[in-house]
Amino acid sequence: MVLFLVSGVGFAWQDLQSRINIFDADSILGPNRPGDDLPDSYEGRAVNLLVLGSDTRSGDNNVDNSQGSEDVAVARSDTAMVMHISADRSRIDVVSIPRDTLVDIPSCTTLDGETTQAVTNGQFNSAFANGAGTGTDPSSVVSGAACAQRTVEDLTDIRIDDFVVVDFDGLSTMVDALGGVNLYVEEEISDPDYTGLELTQGCHTLDGATALQYSRVRHGVGDGSDISRISRQQNLMSAMARAAQSKNLLGANELYDFATSVLEALTVSKGLSLGALAGLGSSVQQVGMDNMNFVAMPTAEAPWDANRVVPTDEADDVWEALRNDQPVPDGSEGSDGTTGGDSATPSATASPDTGSTDGPQTEEGTDGHDAADADTPTQAATPTQDPQAQASQSAQAAAVASAAQQCE
């Protein structure tokens, strides 16, 4: 009987392990990375993960009937977050990097052995596209994620231990596996032409399809900028974390079904085995939502391009804090609607949609990608560094956070 039970657990574990799309990207990340002397084990040290949302339209991700269009021919990192888990497992900081940030993108190697050209002052989300090339297969996705990882390491001087990639279909599947998520919508959303999302202000329970719309929407809400969309993506991620923490899976079958649905939605680097994911999940559970902080990397309008942003000195302070495993400094609060105000990031005014991935596009960039990867306008950003404005935004976000708690 004992042998039967142990064998059953072993087979189940192997089956779950096989559900994860794990790839070894170490060979293409190159030498001289930050933290080369760190041990492979996560135990007893801070962990930094790069969470990427891919906007590929291949297969089940063709959510807006734009598959095959040259505008969405390759995948970009539509969402990028650095997730820092403190060494004592008492705190988690999640820092979003705006896709329109101008950064230096290093030369990258792909799993196929190709080498990409380095780019000076390239748009951040094009790093993923540079590595992925024109492919949408898993090998291309991993190559794109590895190039984005190298770009983040060069930007932050922080060792990224592993990456996680979730595409459109994966996000929708994860939300449905959680039984939906409850969140507070800060302002009315009306976007009939792009995502089709219509939501009133207040508490809502979103299923997978609606959650995907919410994470992508930028028309008919706010100022129409990609930076304002970060707040909604962080709000959704926060809601997903709360749902996962509160989920009560009593039966073995229910637990197994939930695990398979979530694991199949992920593409990860080799350090995130099933055991590592289970350990990290336990750590997140112990930290709790009160000690999970969502922020956006502080940026300002690029002096030479009003439609792009660059990291500020405050951004350096954020990355230094993570390098030293310290809390993110005050004044860098996020605007996720649950944990603080996006006081260090610029606001933006709406402009014609030449770079959104919300729906079918018509304007192509000069490099063959969509206009979000070219030098065409996607937003007009203006810095909001005034202390009074920061305080006002923080107070507004605190009110949203209070309202969000009532949605649970």
Side-chain angles (χ1 to χ4, degrees), residues 294-347:
F294 291 84
V295 307
M297 181 182 73
T299 56
E301 176 186 307
W304 57 91
D305 188 344
N307 302 299
R308 299 290 180 268
V309 296
V310 293
T312 63
D313 291 341
E314 288 79 9
D316 293 337
D317 295 338
V318 170
W319 302 130
E320 183 179 5
L322 297 194
R323 283 194 297 272
N324 296 324
D325 196 22
Q326 298 295 318
V328 171
D330 291 340
S332 300
E333 293 89 353
S335 63
D336 59 299
T338 58
T339 57
D342 190 7
S343 57
T345 57
S347 62

Side-chain angles (χ1 to χ4, degrees), residues 8-9 60 81 83 87 93 96 138 147 158 176 206 230 243 254 258 266 270 300 308 340 351 358 370 374 388 406:
V9 171
D60 292 336
M81 300 179 180
M83 181 177 183
D93 290 306
S96 293
C147 195
I158 292 174
D176 283 336
L206 308 185
I230 286 178
E254 185 181 10
F258 171 73
L266 305 178
K270 73 169 187 176
R308 299 290 180 268
S351 60
D358 297 344
D370 85 350
Q388 291 185 346
Q406 302 177 19

Side-chain angles (χ1 to χ4, degrees), residues 50-52 76-82 96-105 121-130 144-145 147-153 155-156 297 308-309 372-373:
L50 179 61
V51 181
L52 297 168
R76 293 168 302 273
S77 52
D78 201 47
T79 303
M81 300 179 180
V82 175
S96 293
I97 301 176
R99 70 174 193 174
D100 290 341
T101 306
L102 296 179
V103 297
D104 292 338
I105 301 172
N121 284 327
Q123 189 167 303
F124 173 77
N125 71 337
S126 66
F128 192 105
N130 288 357
C147 195
Q149 179 175 337
R150 282 299 308 272
T151 303
V152 171
E153 289 183 338
L155 170 68
T156 65
M297 181 182 73
R308 299 290 180 268
V309 296
D373 292 335

Side-chain angles (χ1 to χ4, degrees), residues 110-136:
T110 70
L111 288 179
D112 294 335
E114 302 292 329
T115 302
T116 67
Q117 289 188 342
V119 179
T120 300
N121 284 327
Q123 189 167 303
F124 173 77
N125 71 337
S126 66
F128 192 105
N130 288 357
T134 58
T136 56

